[in-house]
Amino acid sequence: MARTEKARFTAQDWIDAAISAMADGGARAVAVEPLAAELGASKGSFYWFFANRDALVRAALQHWRDATTDQVAASLAELPDPVAKMSALLEYVFDNPSRGIEIALQADTARPEVREVLAETHRRRLEILRHLLTETGLQPTEAESTALMLYAVYLGVLHLRRTDPDLVPPGADGGDFQQSVRDRLLPTPE
């Protein structure tokens, strides 16, 4: 959304615009001039907050990781029941697929900062899944393999949504698929 020339921009405005660009074309899609035009900002506004484009890319990657991993985990921690936590997590990932940024970033893994953030994100998410699955009663080794299967399904769904969006419908339209994942991969409460 473009603002008037007198509008003030924040670092978060630039980060949000960079994340949007990354969702479409990976980190290589982040360029200062097009983002400035999209925001209706001057390049000077950009340099007020970031030393260069790479600093913006790093900030956007970290914000994306925090928002789609740690903040989600914190909201799940508020739920008292482990099965409810897993159901809420599955609902979140299938209904809010973070616009497939993980898949768009795969093309940029030659860039160390992208590769590092992706690896850190994957490890953190698997750790969260293992913990939640252990809370549901799975033994640690079973929780580890189930977490990896669930995460692989998640990444596969993101990829399919990016390459063939109609194949795995989101939200209520994808309810049967979500239920199938729950039934096959999650432990049932005893």
Side-chain angles (χ1 to χ4, degrees):
M1 276 182 201
R3 296 184 187 189
T4 65
E5 287 197 31
K6 296 196 182 243
R8 302 228 178 225
F9 294 90
T10 65
Q12 191 61 51
D13 293 327
W14 286 97
I15 288 170
D16 291 342
I19 289 171
S20 181
M22 281 192 263
D24 293 334
R28 66 188 174 285
V30 177
V32 176
E33 287 187 31
L35 293 180
E38 179 184 319
L39 290 168
S42 68
K43 283 176 59 176
S45 168
F46 170 80
Y47 290 108
W48 182 261
F49 300 109
F50 301 99
N52 54 40
R53 176 199 170 276
D54 289 341
L56 172 61
V57 168
R58 283 190 301 276
L61 287 169
Q62 194 62 45
H63 179 78
W64 164 77
R65 187 198 74 89
D66 292 346
T68 62
T69 304
D70 294 332
Q71 291 175 16
V72 171
S75 69
L76 292 175
E78 296 173 6
L79 299 173
D81 174 57
V83 175
K85 289 177 186 180
M86 284 303 302
S87 291
L89 179 60
L90 279 178
E91 190 173 312
Y92 173 81
V93 300
F94 285 114
D95 292 348
N96 304 293
S98 70
R99 298 177 23 222
I101 292 175
E102 293 94 328
I103 304 306
L105 290 173
Q106 292 300 317
D108 294 325
T109 55
R111 296 176 56 115
E113 69 274 18
V114 172
R115 187 176 52 254
E116 289 168 15
V117 168
L118 277 175
E120 178 184 307
T121 301
H122 295 325
R123 285 190 303 270
R124 177 70 178 121
R125 289 175 177 177
L126 284 167
E127 176 187 314
I128 291 165
L129 278 169
R130 278 191 299 268
H131 176 75
L132 288 174
L133 288 163
T134 302
E135 280 186 343
T136 66
L138 291 182
Q139 295 300 313
T141 55
E142 189 178 3
E144 187 169 339
S145 64
T146 302
L148 186 56
M149 282 188 281
L150 283 168
Y151 198 63
V153 167
Y154 166 70
L155 291 175
V157 167
L158 288 180
H159 180 73
L160 289 172
R161 283 193 178 150
R162 190 168 186 85
T163 58
D164 190 354
D166 297 327
L167 193 57
V168 182
D173 294 338
D176 290 342
F177 177 73
Q178 291 177 40
Q179 189 60 48
S180 178
V181 169
R182 281 186 187 96
D183 293 346
R184 293 168 195 227
L185 297 178
L186 292 181
T188 54
E190 298 179 17

